[in-house]
Amino acid sequence: MKEQRRETKEKEESLSASEDEKLDFISRVPDSILSYILSFLQTREAVCTSILSSRWRTVWTLVPTLDLDQEKLSKISVDQSSCTTLGDILSNLWMLRSTVPNSTPIQKLRIHWFTPCFPLHAHTWIRANILHGLQDLDLSISTPLELPRCLFFCTTLVLLKLKGQFLLNPVPSASTLPSLKTLLLQRVHYANPNSLSTLLAACPVLQDLTLTVFGSDLEYLDNDAAAAEFNIIVLVPTLETFLLRLQNLWYSHKIQINTPALKSFQFLGWLGEDVVLENLPNLVKLFLHPEKHIFTSYKEYSNRVLDFMRPLYNVKSMEFHIKAAQFLNHASKIDDVPMFHNLSSLKFYGGVWCKSYVWNAVRPFLCRAPKLQTLAFELTNWLGYDCYAPVDCLEEPLDVPECLSSHLTTCYHKGLSGNDIEMQLVRQILKAARVLKTMNITVGSDLDSKAKLHIHEELVTFPRSSQTCQIVFD
């Protein structure tokens, strides 16, 4: 009995020693590693670790990241009485960090605030951190704010994201952002037609640009500028990826893009009359969703889209909105579509108002992409299938596009619902594609098991030109 008590006591002492060793291990971890771990937490959570012990009291001040997201700060009120909440938080953080002699300068500053706040607080913090080597600045603030001039002379800034009511004036002529590689401007207010171009001119090593412009963003143009064009001039020799989104842009605007290093280009929105695309030899990936203005005729819209696409003939991968393809089918001929000799992957996506026109809209692109290897469809229907289907939409094509007879090896169709038009589209591809290896089908998630089984049984009966083609159901 005594022997058992002794063994139990030894086990308890061993466990206690093990726990002490774990505590000792954490206490021996250098501050640099602890601060690195805390950098993955929200700022509020990192600050809370200061109450753990005297050792942890100042560790959070060594974290080079400050992340204030109002949606994630559950204790912050969202009513009008919280107008100074952001200022209070910034002031408290400033006071706490300033009391620590060896606190680490902030390298990444992220503030996302959707209720009104006093602009001076954000303005002061931006200026203070720019002077101490700020590298990443991500701001999303609903309160109108004019950016401090010192921002455009920051030599250490690598990433800049501005979302919200920031007033962007033309930057000073001597400004420079020599380290900036990533720039995002979303719903920024432009005070001058050349506000954007002067900013880009100050970014000699920019690689990634995301630009979203709404018509309301130009309401801050001064009286003299309001009568002029808004210029989207992107002359950046180092730019590699570019996303341009134009929404409700009723102002006259000019687009000029000259980016010899550009590899990926995404365009969404309205196309104006004045568009110049040039010097794009390295472009390989294109995402195109040109929208039609209600006052623009089909013919005018078609001409603008085709003119926009012609300088992009070198692309190897393209995603094209099916509705735009349908509009083109109404107002242009196959020969009007540019020839894409290098295109190997083509995807049609988006909602369509009548799937009976899909094949007619797709076929011109297949005829102009002789080396196409992968074809994908990811379509959704808006108005059901009771719309009028033209007689010739189900007819076999008079000639087979070259890519279907010699190069196409993979076809994807996501969201198949089993209507006659969709099934005929799949049938035509299976019959024409002589080297097709895989037809990958994903049926609509809203279909029941019986409908899915019916689609499966019908598809496997379709004749296939390729003897090695497999129909795969995902």
Side-chain angles (χ1 to χ4, degrees):
M1 190 68 177
K2 291 181 179 180
E3 184 66 22
Q4 289 180 347
R5 287 201 208 98
R6 185 177 64 81
E7 290 178 356
T8 301
K9 184 176 181 181
E10 289 177 352
K11 289 181 180 180
E12 291 176 350
E13 291 176 351
S14 176
L15 289 173
S16 177
S18 177
E19 293 297 327
D20 290 340
E21 289 178 1
K22 291 180 180 178
L23 292 175
D24 289 339
F25 170 76
I26 294 177
S27 65
R28 292 196 300 268
V29 174
D31 286 347
S32 59
I33 295 180
L34 292 179
S35 62
Y36 176 74
I37 295 173
L38 292 185
S39 68
F40 293 96
L41 302 179
Q42 294 292 320
T43 296
R44 178 173 176 270
E45 296 170 341
V47 175
C48 287
T49 62
S50 61
I51 65 174
L52 295 177
S53 69
S54 58
R55 165 74 195 286
W56 285 86
R57 188 168 299 160
T58 61
V59 172
W60 72 273
T61 65
L62 303 178
V63 178
T65 301
L66 180 63
D67 188 348
L68 297 177
D69 191 324
Q70 189 173 16
E71 290 186 358
K72 297 177 181 179
L73 295 175
S74 58
K75 293 185 178 181
I76 302 301
S77 173
V78 297
D79 58 22
Q80 293 300 316
S81 63
S82 64
C83 293
T84 59
T85 299
L86 177 59
D88 292 341
I89 293 176
L90 292 176
S91 299
N92 290 336
L93 289 173
W94 182 278
M95 180 184 65
L96 292 172
R97 290 180 66 91
S98 61
T99 59
V100 180
N102 298 318
S103 61
T104 302
I106 294 175
Q107 297 176 357
K108 297 181 180 181
L109 175 60
R110 179 179 182 269
I111 301 177
H112 284 208
W113 216 259
F114 55 85
T115 55
C117 59
F118 190 45
L120 180 61
H121 294 119
H123 212 278
T124 302
W125 261 79
I126 294 172
R127 287 201 309 267
N129 287 287
I130 284 175
L131 298 176
H132 292 86
L134 186 66
Q135 296 180 9
D136 291 8
L137 179 60
D138 182 353
L139 300 176
S140 179
I141 300 177
S142 61
T143 301
L145 176 68
E146 186 171 352
L147 296 166
R149 288 172 62 89
C150 62
L151 174 63
F152 305 109
F153 295 89
C154 181
T155 60
T156 59
L157 200 62
V158 177
L159 178 146
L160 175 61
K161 294 183 178 181
L162 301 176
K163 306 175 187 177
Q165 301 184 48
F166 296 95
L167 182 62
L168 184 61
N169 288 299
V171 302
S173 57
S175 61
T176 178
L177 296 165
S179 303
L180 190 66
K181 294 184 177 181
T182 300
L183 174 63
L184 182 148
L185 301 176
Q186 180 174 316
R187 303 304 305 270
V188 172
H189 294 158
Y190 299 90
N192 186 280
N194 297 313
S195 295
L196 174 63
S197 57
T198 56
L199 173 58
L200 295 179
C203 307
V205 297
L206 189 65
Q207 296 180 357
D208 184 3
L209 174 62
T210 300
L211 178 62
T212 300
V213 182
F214 281 68
S216 57
D217 300 338
L218 307 183
E219 293 178 351
Y220 285 75
L221 292 173
D222 57 54
N223 293 332
D224 294 334
E229 284 188 335
F230 174 69
N231 298 321
I232 302 174
I233 299 178
V234 183
L235 311 177
V236 185
T238 57
L239 194 65
E240 297 182 359
T241 61
F242 182 23
L243 188 155
L244 176 59
R245 183 194 300 269
L246 306 178
Q247 298 290 331
N248 302 326
L249 196 57
W250 55 82
Y251 284 86
S252 177
H253 61 282
K254 175 183 179 180
I255 300 176
Q256 182 181 359
I257 300 175
N258 186 321
T259 51
L262 192 65
K263 298 177 182 178
S264 175
F265 180 32
Q266 299 183 54
F267 177 84
L268 303 90
W270 294 352
L271 274 175
E273 298 179 3
D274 193 354
V275 179
V276 177
L277 305 181
E278 55 188 357
N279 198 13
L280 302 168
N282 293 302
L283 186 65
V284 295
K285 188 174 182 180
L286 175 65
F287 179 98
L288 197 55
H289 184 178
E291 297 180 354
K292 180 183 175 298
H293 193 283
I294 188 172
F295 297 116
T296 304
S297 67
Y298 284 117
K299 186 62 177 178
E300 183 180 0
Y301 169 84
S302 176
N303 290 337
R304 289 185 186 182
V305 174
L306 292 174
D307 289 341
F308 187 87
M309 295 173 63
R310 287 191 178 96
L312 312 176
Y313 61 88
N314 276 329
V315 297
K316 296 181 179 179
S317 174
M318 179 165 62
E319 296 187 23
F320 198 78
H321 199 282
I322 190 62
K323 187 169 67 171
Q326 290 176 307
F327 286 148
L328 287 180
N329 179 59
H330 278 283
S332 61
K333 300 177 182 179
I334 289 180
D335 292 342
D336 294 332
V337 178
M339 183 68 77
F340 295 94
H341 287 287
N342 297 326
L343 191 65
S344 60
S345 176
L346 176 61
K347 177 181 177 179
F348 292 95
Y349 72 97
V352 292
W353 48 270
C354 184
K355 287 192 175 181
S356 58
Y357 292 94
V358 169
W359 174 249
N360 292 344
V362 168
R363 188 168 174 272
F365 288 86
L366 301 183
C367 292
R368 308 300 281 177
K371 297 180 181 179
L372 190 67
Q373 298 178 14
T374 302
L375 176 62
F377 299 94
E378 188 171 341
L379 309 177
T380 57
N381 194 48
W382 286 350
L383 300 180
Y385 302 108
D386 55 350
C387 52
Y388 170 70
V391 176
D392 61 351
C393 73
L394 297 177
E395 293 180 355
E396 298 292 335
L398 297 177
D399 57 336
V400 177
E402 181 181 349
C403 66
L404 292 184
S405 60
S406 60
H407 287 84
L408 191 70
T409 59
T410 306
C411 184
Y412 298 90
H413 199 305
K414 185 176 181 179
L416 190 74
S417 60
N419 72 86
D420 291 342
I421 307 302
E422 287 180 319
M423 300 298 280
Q424 185 65 10
L425 174 62
V426 174
R427 180 194 292 273
Q428 290 176 344
I429 294 175
L430 287 173
K431 186 174 182 179
R434 298 174 183 174
V435 295
L436 189 66
K437 295 180 180 179
T438 305
M439 171 66 78
N440 194 302
I441 302 293
T442 302
V443 298
S445 58
D446 57 331
L447 300 180
D448 56 29
S449 299
K450 184 177 180 180
K452 293 178 181 179
L453 179 60
H454 177 73
I455 292 174
H456 181 278
E457 292 175 343
E458 185 175 358
L459 286 176
V460 296
T461 65
F462 287 176
R464 309 171 204 178
S465 179
S466 171
Q467 300 299 318
T468 60
C469 177
Q470 299 291 324
I471 298 179
V472 179
F473 293 89
D474 187 3

